[in-house]
C-alpha cells in the first residue's frame, strides 16, 4: 500500500455528512490539504442520514474497536463548538432492564465497559428513577449508567469540522451529484459530477446509504443494506415544562441558547422493547427498532429537491409504531396523556455483520470506503481511515471493519439483504458470543456434512460455514462424567458431550472437520523469496517442511499467523485466517507469483489423539512413524483410494495429522478414516472440544487473542521471529523482546467457574486488562482464560469479573498441558 507525500495527494471525499466532514478534518490535520468534499445536497444539512440522526453516542459494546471509535468521537466532539454551542452534550446514558435476562446482560455490559475503560455503574430502580423521574421504577430490575455518553449535535459537528478543514485548504462543494468514477491502470483518477470532473489520487466513498451506488460506479462491491428506522416526537409534556429551559419558560434569545439546553437527562434505552428516548426541550424523541425491517433501495431514493422533507426521511408509518407507543407508555406512564406529534422513517446503513466497511479496494487502488458508519463512531472511524491513508495503517485494530472480510458467498445481494435485515432486528438483542445468524442456513457445508448430520452434529455458523460443535451420537460417552454445573449464559451453545469428545481425543483418536480454515496456494519462481520476505520466520527449507510464521505490518503488529507448507520447489500451501490475508498478499505479490484461494475446492480433516498413527498408518504405504514423518513436515500420499496432502500438525496438543484432499473426494476420505478407526474407538469431535484442547495447549487464535495492535513478543510468539533475516516489520521489532504487557494464561481457582471472553481482569482491585479466549479445560479441571495484562509472575492472584462477580484466578506458566511436547512428538 503506497503512501502519498503530504500536500501532494489529491483527495476527493464523496459525501459531506458527519463521516465525510470528520475525514476532511482528520486528513487536513495530517498535512493532506488538497481535499475536496463533494455533496449532492445543500450544505450544511444535505439530507443524508446525518441530517436526521438523533445523535446518540453510547460507547460500550462487545467490540473493543467500536468502543474506541465511539470514545474518540466523544472526546473530539466534546472539544468542538459552533457559535458558542458545544457539539456534544454529555448527558450520559441509562440502559434499564425490565427482565432478569436484561439485568444479567447489563452486568455483563458493565464488565465490557470496565474492559474497554469506559466509566459505568449499575443502579437500583430508585437510582434510575432519580435520573429519570418519569420512569415507572416498579417495572425495573435496575439500570446501567454511563455518565460520559451523550448526544452529538451532528450537523453542528459537521459545521465545526468543515470550517476547520476549510481553514487548512479543504473545499466543500454542495449540489454536486457524482455520476462516475474515472480510472486508469487499476487506479482511481477522478470523480465525475454533473458540474465537472475532479482529478484525484484518492477517492473516499463516505456516501452513507448511497454507498452501493457510488461503489457500482467504481466497480467496487459495497455489501451494505439501507433500512428505515422509526423516530417519533411527542407533543409538549407538562413533566418537561421548564426543565430544559434555563429561563424558566421565557423564550431564549437565540437558537444556540435553546438548543444548548434541549436535554439534561441521560439518553434512556429500553432495549427489552427495542426503544430509546431522548429529550427535545419539552418533548421526547422516541426511536424504535421494534418494527418490521424496512429495506430501502438507494437507487430509488429521491433527490434533495424532490423529497418531501429530505432524501433520508421517509413517511412515518403509524401502524408500525403503535406497539412501540404502548410499550413507551408502559415504561413512562406520563406519556399516556400525550400523543405522537410528528414522526418519520429515517434511512440508515446496515451490513451483514453490523460493522462498518473501511479500507482501500484492491480492485481499484486509491478508492476507499468509509461506509455504514453511524454518528456514534464517526470521528473515530475518520481518524482511523485518515491514519490508514497517510501512515499506511490505523492506530487501532480494524480487522472487524475491513471491507475485504466477507467471503464471496457473503456478498450476494440476497445475502446482504437477509443479513442486513437481521442486523437491524438484533440491534438491541442480547447476543451470545457464539450465537449464529439464523438465515440463510445452511449456506456453506464441507464434504463431510452428510456424515455429520447422521451423527447428530449440532451446528453453529461462521463465515457462512456450518461448523459442528458437538455430536449427539457421542452423548452416551458423556453419561457419568463429573462436570461442574454451568450458569445459564455459559451453558448456552454448550453440551457436556464436548467434555466426552475432548477426553476421547486425549485418550484415543478423533476426527475434526477443519475445512473452514482458509487455504491459499502460492506458486511461481519467486514464491519462496516473496513469502520469506513477507513473513517473520525462516521459510528457506527443503520441500516437505511446514513452518509456523507471522504476517506483520511495518510497525511489527500481527496481521495474521500462517502455517506455510513447502510442497514443491515453487509451490506452497498457506494456512491463513481471513479474506484480508489474501488481499494483503495479493497487494504485495511481485509479477510471476500467483496466489489463489483453494479453500472451497478442498477439504481438511484433523486426525488427532494417541491412536492417530494406529489409524492412519495401515491406510498408506508411506512411513508415518515419528522417524519417517516428523513434526511440522508435509507429505503427499494416498490414504486408501484418496490422494491427500498430509501435514503433521496438531492444534489440540496430541499426535496427529491434518489431511487435505479435493472436495470431490472428501466424503470418501471421511469414510475411509471412519471405517479404519472403528477398531480404535474413533469418534467425530466438534469445535467446542477443539477450543478447550487448544487453550489447554496455549495455541493462539488470531483476531481473538492477538491482532495488529500486538507484536509477537507481547503475544508470546517470539519463537516465530527470525531477526537475522529481512522481513516486513523487522525494524519495528528491534529492542522489543522484553515487553511491558503480555498475553497471559490464567487458571480460574474455582473448578466450577466459567468465563467466555472479553471480561475485565482486576489486579489489586483495579481493572488491569481483559480476557481474550476462554474455555473450560476438561483435562485440567479448570477454566482456562487468556488475557492481556501487564507482565506478571506465575502465581499472581487476579480476579476476572463475570456478570458482576469477581472470580479469583491465578497467573500460570504455559503451556498448561504437556509442557515438554511429549504427546505431539511421539
Amino acid at each position: 500500500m503506497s503512501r502519498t507525500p503530504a500536500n501532494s495527494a489529491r483527495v476527493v471525499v464523496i459525501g459531506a455528512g458527519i463521516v465525510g466532514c470528520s475525514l476532511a478534518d482528520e486528513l487536513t490535520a495530517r498535512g493532506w490539504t488538497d481535499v475536496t468534499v463533494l455533496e449532492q445536497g445543500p450544505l450544511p444539512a444535505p439530507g443524508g442520514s446525518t441530517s436526521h440522526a438523533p445523535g446518540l453516542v453510547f460507547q460500550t459494546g462487545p467490540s473493543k474497536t467500536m468502543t474506541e471509535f465511539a470514545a474518540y468521537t466523544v472526546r473530539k466532539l466534546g472539544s468542538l463548538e459552533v457559535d458558542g454551542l458545544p457539539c456534544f452534550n454529555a448527558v450520559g446514558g441509562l440502559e434499564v432492564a425490565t427482565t432478569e435476562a436484561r439485568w444479567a446482560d447489563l452486568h455483563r455490559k458493565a464488565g465490557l465497559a470496565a474492559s474497554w475503560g469506559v466509566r459505568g455503574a449499575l443502579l437500583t430502580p430508585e437510582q434510575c428513577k432519580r435520573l429519570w423521574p418519569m420512569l415507572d421504577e416498579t417495572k425495573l430490575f435496575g439500570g446501567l449508567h454511563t455518565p460520559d455518553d451523550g448526544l452529538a449535535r451532528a450537523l453542528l459537528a459537521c459545521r465545526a469540522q468543515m470550517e476547520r478543514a476549510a481553514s487548512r485548504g479543504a473545499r466543500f462543494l454542495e449540489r454536486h451529484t457524482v455520476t462516475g468514477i474515472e480510472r486508469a491502470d487499476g487506479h482511481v483518477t477522478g470523480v465525475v459530477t454533473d458540474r465537472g470532473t475532479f482529478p484525484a489520487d484518492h477517492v473516499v466513498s463516505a456516501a452513507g446509504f448511497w454507498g452501493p451506488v457510488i461503489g457500482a460506479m467504481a466497480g467496487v462491491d459495497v455489501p451494505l443494506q439501507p433500512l428505515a428506522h422509526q423516530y417519533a416526537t411527542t407533543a409538549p409534556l407538562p413533566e418537561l415544562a421548564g426543565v430544559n429551559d434555563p429561563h424558566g419558560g421565557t423564550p431564549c434569545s437565540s437558537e444556540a441558547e435553546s438548543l444548548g439546553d434541549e436535554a439534561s437527562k441521560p439518553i434512556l434505552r429500553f432495549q427489552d422493547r427495542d426503544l430509546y428516548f431522548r429529550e427535545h426541550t419539552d418533548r421526547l424523541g422516541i426511536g424504535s427498532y421494534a418494527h418490521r425491517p424496512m429495506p430501502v433501495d438507494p437507487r430509488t431514493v429521491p433527490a434533495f429537491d424532490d423529497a418531501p422533507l429530505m432524501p433520508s426521511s421517509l413517511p412515518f408509518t403509524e401502524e408500525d409504531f403503535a406497539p412501540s407507543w404502548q410499550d413507551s407508555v408502559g415504561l413512562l406512564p406520563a406519556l399516556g396523556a400525550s400523543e405522537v406529534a410528528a414522526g418519520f422513517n429515517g434511512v440508515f446503513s446496515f451490513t451483514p455483520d453490523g460493522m462498518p466497511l473501511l479500507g482501500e479496494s484492491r480492485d481499484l487502488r486509491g478508492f476507499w470506503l468509509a461506509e455504514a458508519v453511524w454518528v456514534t463512531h464517526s470521528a473515530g472511524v475518520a481518524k482511523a481511515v485518515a491514519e490508514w491513508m497517510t501512515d499506511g495503517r490505523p492506530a487501532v485494530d480494524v480487522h472487524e471493519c475491513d471491507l475485504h472480510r466477507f467471503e464471496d458467498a457473503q456478498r450476494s445481494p440476497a445475502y446482504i439483504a437477509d443479513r442486513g435485515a437481521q442486523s437491524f432486528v438484533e440491534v438491541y438483542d442480547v447476543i451470545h458470543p457464539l450465537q449464529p445468524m439464523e438465515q440463510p442456513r445452511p449456506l456453506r457445508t464441507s464434504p463431510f456434512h452428510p456424515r455429520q448430520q447422521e451423527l447428530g452434529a449440532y451446528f453453529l455458523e461462521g463465515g457462512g460455514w456450518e461448523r459442528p460443535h458437538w455430536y449427539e451420537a457421542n452423548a452416551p460417552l458423556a453419561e457419568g462424567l463429573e462436570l461442574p454445573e454451568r450458569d445459564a449464559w455459559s451453558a448456552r451453545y454448550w453440551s457436556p458431550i464436548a467434555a466426552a469428545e475432548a477426553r476421547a481425543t486425549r485418550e484415543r483418536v478423533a476426527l475434526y472437520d477443519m475445512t473452514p480454515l482458509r487455504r491459499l496456494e502460492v506458486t511461481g519462481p519467486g514464491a519462496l523469496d516473496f513469502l520469506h520476505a513477507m513473513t517473520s520466520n525462516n521459510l528457506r527449507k527443503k520441500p516437505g517442511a511446514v513452518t509456523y510464521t507471522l504476517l506483520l505490518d511495518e510497525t511489527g503488529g500481527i496481521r495474521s499467523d500462517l502455517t506455510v507448507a513447502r510442497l514443491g520447489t515453487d509451490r506452497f500451501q498457506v494456512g491463513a485466517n481471513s479474506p484480508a490475508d489474501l488481499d494483503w498478499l495479493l497487494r504485495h505479490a511481485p509479477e510471476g507469483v500467483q496466489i489463489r484461494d483453494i479453500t472451497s475446492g478442498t477439504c481438511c480433516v484433523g486426525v488427532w489423539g494417541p491412536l492417530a498413527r494406529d489409524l492412519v498408518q495401515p491406510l498408506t504405504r508411506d512411513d508415518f512413524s515419528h522417524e519417517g514423518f516428523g513434526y511440522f513436515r508435509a507429505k503427499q500420499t494416498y490414504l486408501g483410494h484418496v490422494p491427500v496432502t498430509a501435514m503433521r500438525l496438531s492444534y489440540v496438543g496430541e499426535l496427529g495429522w491434518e489431511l487435505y484432499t479435493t472436495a470431490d473426494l472428501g466424503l470418501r476420505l471421511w469414510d475411509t478414516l471412519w471405517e479404519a478407526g472403528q477398531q480404535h474407538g474413533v469418534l467425530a469431535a466438534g469445535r467446542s472440544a477443539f477450543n478447550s484442547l487448544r487453550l489447554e495447549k496455549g495455541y493462539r487464535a488470531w483476531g481473538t487473542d492477538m491482532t495488529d495492535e500486538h507484536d509477537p513478543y507481547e503475544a508470546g510468539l517470539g519463537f516465530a521471529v527470525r531477526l537475522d533475516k529481512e522481513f516486513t516489520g523487522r525494524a519495528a521489532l528491534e529492542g522489543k523482546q522484553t515487553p511491558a504487557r503480555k498475553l497471559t494464561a490464567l487458571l480460574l481457582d474455582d473448578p466450577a467457574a466459567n468465563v467466555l471472553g472479553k471480561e475485565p481482569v482486576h489486579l489489586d482491585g483495579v481493572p488491569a486488562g481483559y480476557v481474550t479466549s476462554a474455555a473450560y479445560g476438561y483435562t485440567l479441571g479448570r477454566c482456562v482464560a487468556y488475557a492481556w495484562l501487564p507482565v506478571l509472575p506465575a502465581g499472581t492472584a487476579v480476579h476476572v469479573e463475570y456478570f458482576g462477580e469477581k472470580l479469583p484466578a491465578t497467573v500460570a506458566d504455559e503451556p498448561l498441558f504437556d509442557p515438554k511436547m511429549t504427546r505431539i512428538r511421539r
Side-chain angles (χ1 to χ4, degrees):
M1 193 177 302
S2 61
R3 302 179 191 175
T4 307
N7 297 313
S8 65
R10 298 171 299 176
V11 180
V12 174
V13 179
I14 301 172
I18 187 68
V19 178
C21 292
S22 297
L23 181 58
D25 183 48
E26 295 287 341
L27 284 171
T28 55
R30 288 165 175 77
W32 282 27
T33 55
D34 189 352
V35 177
T36 300
V37 182
L38 302 175
E39 175 53 59
Q40 63 182 343
L43 295 175
S49 299
T50 299
S51 299
H52 71 245
L56 280 64
V57 179
F58 276 89
Q59 298 171 83
T60 306
S63 168
K64 178 175 178 286
T65 297
M66 297 298 276
T67 295
E68 290 180 345
F69 286 163
Y72 181 78
T73 300
V74 167
R75 294 195 301 272
K76 183 176 185 180
L77 270 56
S79 70
L80 299 176
E81 63 177 40
V82 175
D83 299 332
L85 179 63
C87 293
F88 185 76
N89 186 2
V91 293
L94 177 63
E95 301 176 52
V96 295
T98 60
T99 64
E100 290 185 3
R102 183 68 63 178
W103 183 227
D105 189 59
L106 291 187
H107 282 76
R108 183 177 70 100
K109 192 170 268 187
L112 289 172
S115 289
W116 313 145
V118 177
R119 288 199 304 156
L122 292 166
L123 305 183
T124 66
E126 293 72 25
Q127 290 172 316
C128 294
K129 175 80 169 180
R130 285 196 286 273
L131 286 175
W132 257 86
M134 292 172 64
L135 279 168
D136 179 358
E137 76 277 17
T138 66
K139 302 281 182 68
L140 305 183
F141 285 83
L144 173 62
H145 182 222
T146 45
D148 299 322
D149 293 337
L151 295 167
R153 298 186 175 94
L155 290 179
L156 285 177
C158 286
R159 281 182 56 193
Q161 293 178 98
M162 285 171 60
E163 291 171 4
R164 196 156 68 176
S167 72
R168 303 185 189 114
R171 56 177 176 168
F172 293 79
L173 303 178
E174 64 181 359
R175 295 192 177 278
H176 280 64
T177 299
V178 174
T179 58
I181 305 295
E182 293 188 333
R183 43 195 152 160
D185 300 323
H187 201 287
V188 70
T189 60
V191 178
V192 182
T193 75
D194 58 351
R195 299 175 65 178
T197 298
F198 297 84
D201 303 302
H202 298 271
V203 173
V204 185
S205 177
F209 61 81
W210 284 286
V213 177
I214 301 300
M217 296 179 191
V220 174
D221 182 34
V222 180
L224 175 160
Q225 175 62 58
L227 289 113
H229 157 59
Q230 289 199 298
Y231 192 79
T233 308
T234 69
L237 299 170
E239 292 77 8
L240 295 181
V243 172
N244 297 313
D245 183 352
H247 302 279
T250 304
C252 298
S253 59
S254 71
E255 180 185 12
E257 286 184 6
S258 174
L259 288 173
D261 296 274
E262 66 173 336
S264 56
K265 297 178 182 61
I267 307 160
L268 178 64
R269 289 206 286 185
F270 181 22
Q271 293 172 304
D272 287 320
R273 291 294 183 270
D274 298 308
L275 293 168
Y276 63 81
F277 306 85
R278 58 151 295 179
E279 296 169 291
H280 292 282
T281 312
D282 61 350
R283 304 166 186 258
L284 281 186
I286 307 172
S288 172
Y289 293 99
H291 54 83
R292 61 189 169 88
M294 303 177 188
V296 176
D297 184 345
R299 294 176 294 273
T300 64
V301 174
F304 186 92
D305 293 328
D306 298 328
L309 182 59
M310 65 178 79
S312 63
S313 181
L314 305 181
F316 189 62
T317 50
E318 296 181 7
E319 64 278 9
D320 289 304
F321 193 76
S324 292
W325 177 254
Q326 293 305 315
D327 289 334
S328 300
V329 172
L331 183 70
L332 307 171
L335 294 181
S338 186
E339 63 180 356
V340 173
F344 63 93
N345 293 358
V347 184
F348 288 89
S349 301
F350 289 81
T351 59
D353 60 3
M355 301 293 280
L357 297 168
L358 310 180
E360 182 189 24
S361 168
R362 184 180 69 252
D363 299 322
L364 182 59
R365 301 297 180 90
F367 185 82
W368 296 76
L369 295 186
E371 296 289 6
V373 182
W374 294 4
V375 172
T376 306
H377 309 103
S378 56
V381 164
K383 176 176 178 288
V385 174
E387 291 168 340
W388 210 339
M389 296 174 70
T390 60
D391 300 332
R393 73 181 294 271
V396 300
D397 166 53
V398 295
H399 82 272
E400 296 173 309
C401 310
D402 193 303
L403 67 92
H404 300 99
R405 68 187 180 272
F406 294 116
E407 309 280 350
D408 288 343
Q410 296 174 300
R411 291 180 170 273
S412 71
Y415 186 96
I416 294 165
D418 288 348
R419 291 295 175 98
Q422 189 68 19
S423 292
F424 175 90
V425 170
E426 294 180 348
V427 164
Y428 279 171
D429 285 1
V430 177
I431 303 295
H432 192 278
L434 292 176
Q435 182 173 329
M437 283 280 195
E438 296 178 359
Q439 295 294 334
R441 291 184 64 192
L443 181 64
R444 307 178 79 186
T445 59
S446 83
F448 318 134
H449 190 253
R451 298 295 181 262
Q452 293 166 345
Q453 289 179 304
E454 293 168 6
L455 293 170
Y458 184 87
F459 293 101
L460 296 179
E461 179 264 357
W465 287 101
E466 294 295 318
R467 303 182 184 216
H469 273 243
W470 64 83
Y471 294 85
E472 290 296 330
N474 299 325
L477 300 177
E479 296 175 3
L481 288 181
E482 294 184 5
L483 298 172
E485 186 175 347
R486 290 197 166 214
D487 65 279
W489 187 252
S490 66
R492 288 183 67 183
Y493 305 108
W494 174 85
S495 168
I497 297 171
E501 294 175 358
R503 181 175 179 177
T505 307
R506 292 280 189 235
E507 296 179 352
R508 302 194 304 276
V509 61
L511 305 184
Y512 287 83
D513 183 0
M514 307 303 290
T515 300
L517 297 186
R518 182 164 307 281
R519 293 173 290 284
L520 309 178
E521 183 182 72
V522 182
T523 58
L528 173 60
D529 291 340
F530 167 63
L531 288 172
H532 188 69
M534 288 295 294
T535 64
S536 63
N537 212 336
N538 176 33
L539 299 187
R540 296 195 185 283
K541 302 173 183 177
K542 294 179 180 179
V546 182
T547 306
Y548 178 82
T549 187
L550 303 173
L551 199 62
L552 307 179
D553 63 23
E554 292 181 357
T555 70
I558 304 171
R559 284 193 58 92
S560 189
D561 61 340
L562 309 177
T563 303
V564 180
R566 190 176 189 187
L567 302 181
T569 303
D570 299 319
R571 184 165 71 90
F572 296 81
Q573 181 172 307
V574 178
N577 285 294
S578 80
D581 294 346
L582 174 63
D583 172 68
W584 181 260
L585 292 173
L586 286 171
R587 286 177 186 273
H588 292 85
E591 190 172 345
V593 172
Q594 293 81 42
I595 307 171
R596 66 187 186 100
D597 191 328
I598 61 172
T599 310
S600 297
T602 56
C603 58
C604 176
V605 57
V607 183
W608 292 315
L611 302 182
R613 183 175 288 115
D614 297 317
L615 189 161
V616 175
Q617 183 63 79
L619 299 173
T620 179
R621 296 181 181 180
D622 285 310
D623 185 359
F624 270 56
S625 69
H626 183 63
E627 295 73 23
F629 197 155
Y631 192 51
F632 266 83
R633 298 292 298 173
K635 187 176 292 189
Q636 292 178 296
T637 184
Y638 288 86
L639 294 183
H641 296 91
V642 182
V644 299
T645 298
M647 298 185 195
R648 191 168 166 199
L649 307 174
S650 174
Y651 208 50
V652 299
E654 295 293 336
L655 171 68
W657 288 265
E658 292 178 358
L659 304 174
Y660 299 88
T661 191
T662 52
D664 59 325
L665 291 166
L667 199 58
R668 184 60 178 264
L669 174 61
W670 180 279
D671 289 344
T672 299
L673 294 168
W674 187 258
E675 181 179 348
Q678 292 308 299
Q679 61 180 311
H680 304 295
V682 72
L683 52 69
R687 293 190 68 84
S688 186
F690 173 88
N691 202 42
S692 171
L693 297 170
R694 70 102 180 164
L695 281 173
E696 288 185 329
K697 195 60 183 169
Y699 293 145
R700 278 69 165 140
W702 183 85
T704 301
D705 296 317
M706 72 276 189
T707 69
D708 62 6
E709 291 185 356
H710 311 108
D711 71 46
Y713 303 110
E714 295 173 326
L717 299 175
F719 66 87
V721 176
R722 296 291 180 267
L723 292 177
D724 58 353
K725 55 164 271 193
E726 290 299 324
F727 59 90
T728 301
R730 179 192 176 283
L733 297 181
E734 293 283 0
K736 287 189 175 182
Q737 289 88 333
T738 308
R741 63 174 178 173
K742 181 183 175 184
L743 185 62
T744 304
L746 304 177
L747 280 174
L748 271 67
D749 294 351
D750 183 354
N754 275 290
V755 298
L756 298 182
K758 302 188 178 180
E759 297 87 359
V761 181
H762 298 260
L763 176 65
D764 298 328
V766 178
Y770 60 92
V771 174
T772 57
S773 295
Y776 198 84
Y778 301 110
T779 316
L780 301 173
R782 293 286 192 280
C783 181
V784 180
Y786 273 79
W788 280 104
L789 290 168
V791 174
L792 301 170
T796 301
V798 298
H799 287 83
V800 181
E801 184 180 337
Y802 182 70
F803 286 90
E805 183 180 1
K806 292 183 173 62
L807 306 176
T810 302
V811 173
D813 284 325
E814 57 173 332
L816 304 171
F817 176 78
D818 187 27
K820 295 184 178 180
M821 303 285 283
T822 57
R823 298 177 71 91
I824 292 178
R825 302 177 186 274
R826 59 181 172 183

